[in-house]
């Protein structure tokens, strides 16, 4: 079946925000005497689901994960307001693919944050749909985000390819019945991407020809 839609993860795939996420969590946790380095963040917040739950339990913070996420969001929104950089080749990839495909973002990030990030990255005009955390029931690695994005584009799952940088995102795309192309960042290159339809070193390799060569889902 031809690829009609591309469903992109946001953080770490289209925009370089993962270190800002880490900085925001680190600042909040530091207020409670907890130092969380980038390596711990990679393992507990990027590679695995439930990072805030793990932090609250491990460090006995005295409040729940929802509170930690809310406090982190306040800091994170200040950070992204100062500017966000696209990942190398991100805008060029969207511009290259948009003429022949419908494009969407499907992210675990809140809509208000997504709007700021896309504006800074000058990416919004190349997208046909944006699916944020408020738009579906369960976050990745559940398939809900990608199923909602396919529906927003009016496409069947088999007509879509997911573009991701994490195993959690890969799992979500596969659970949605979609092919997944992974483009790991420097923070996720050592993780397990078994089951991906293709693994690319950079977004420059994401071309119509590559999409046409993918095996069926």
């Amino acid at each position: 079946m031809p690829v009609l839609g591309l469903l992109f993860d946001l953080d770490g795939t289209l925009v370089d925000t993962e270190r800002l996420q880490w900085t925001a969590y680190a600042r909040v946790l530091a207020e409670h005497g907890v130092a969380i380095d980038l390596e711990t963040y990679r393992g507990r917040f990027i590679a695995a689901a439930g990072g805030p739950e793990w932090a609250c339990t491990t460090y006995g913070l005295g409040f729940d994960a929802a509170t930690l996420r809310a406090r982190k969001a306040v800091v994170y929104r200040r950070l992204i307001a100062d500017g966000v950089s696209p990942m190398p080749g991100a805008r060029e990839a969207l511009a290259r693919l948009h003429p022949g495909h419908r494009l969407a973002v499907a992210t675990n990030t809140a809509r208000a944050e997504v709007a700021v990030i896309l504006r800074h990255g000058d990416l919004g005009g190349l997208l046909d749909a944006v699916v944020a955390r408020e738009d579906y029931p369960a976050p990745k690695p559940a398939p809900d985000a990608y199923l909602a994005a396919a529906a927003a584009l009016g496409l069947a799952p088999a007509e879509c390819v997911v573009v991701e940088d994490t195993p959690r995102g890969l799992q979500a795309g596969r659970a949605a019945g979609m092919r997944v192309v992974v483009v790991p960042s420097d923070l996720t290159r050592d993780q397990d991407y078994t089951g991906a339809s293709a693994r690319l070193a950079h977004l420059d390799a994401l071309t119509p020809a590559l999409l046409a060569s993918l095996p069926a889902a």
Side-chain angles (χ1 to χ4, degrees):
M1 182 172 289
V3 178
L4 301 181
L6 276 295
L7 313 181
F8 289 86
D9 172 55
L10 187 63
D11 296 289
T13 300
L14 287 180
V15 292
D16 190 10
T17 51
E18 284 292 4
R19 284 179 174 81
L20 297 179
Q21 298 267 10
W22 164 58
T23 298
Y25 274 116
R27 289 183 182 177
V28 173
L29 291 171
E31 295 173 358
H32 300 276
V34 174
I36 182 169
D37 60 21
L38 184 57
E39 201 59 27
T40 301
Y41 180 79
R42 282 199 330 123
R44 292 293 184 172
F45 287 75
I46 298 178
E53 286 81 1
W54 170 84
C56 289
T57 300
T58 300
Y59 300 114
L61 296 179
F63 49 82
D64 62 13
T67 300
L68 176 55
R69 287 187 176 95
R71 293 180 182 178
K72 167 260 179 182
V74 173
V75 178
Y76 182 65
R77 288 172 184 174
R78 289 199 297 265
L79 293 172
I80 61 175
D82 291 334
V84 175
S85 300
M87 295 297 285
R91 195 174 197 288
E92 294 82 357
L94 294 180
R96 180 170 59 248
L97 296 165
H98 193 256
H101 302 82
R102 280 171 264 181
L103 307 181
V105 156
T107 177
N108 283 354
T109 299
R111 181 167 295 278
E113 295 168 2
V114 173
V116 174
I117 290 166
L118 292 179
R119 184 170 65 251
H120 278 303
D122 193 25
L123 302 175
L126 294 167
L127 297 168
D128 300 297
V130 174
V131 172
R133 182 62 192 89
E134 297 89 339
D135 298 325
Y136 55 87
K140 303 172 191 176
D144 301 26
Y146 286 120
L147 292 173
L153 295 179
L155 298 175
E159 297 174 311
C160 297
V161 166
V162 166
V163 183
E164 267 283 355
D165 73 311
T166 67
R168 276 194 292 157
L170 168 61
Q171 182 180 340
R174 285 177 54 82
M178 301 174 187
R179 289 166 283 183
V180 182
V181 173
V182 296
V183 190
S185 72
D186 64 316
L187 297 178
T188 61
R189 283 180 185 147
D190 59 349
Q191 296 177 15
D192 182 5
Y193 294 99
T194 302
S197 296
R199 175 173 177 160
L200 309 180
H202 45 69
L203 286 169
D204 292 342
L206 186 63
T207 64
L210 180 280
L211 295 173
S213 73
L214 294 178

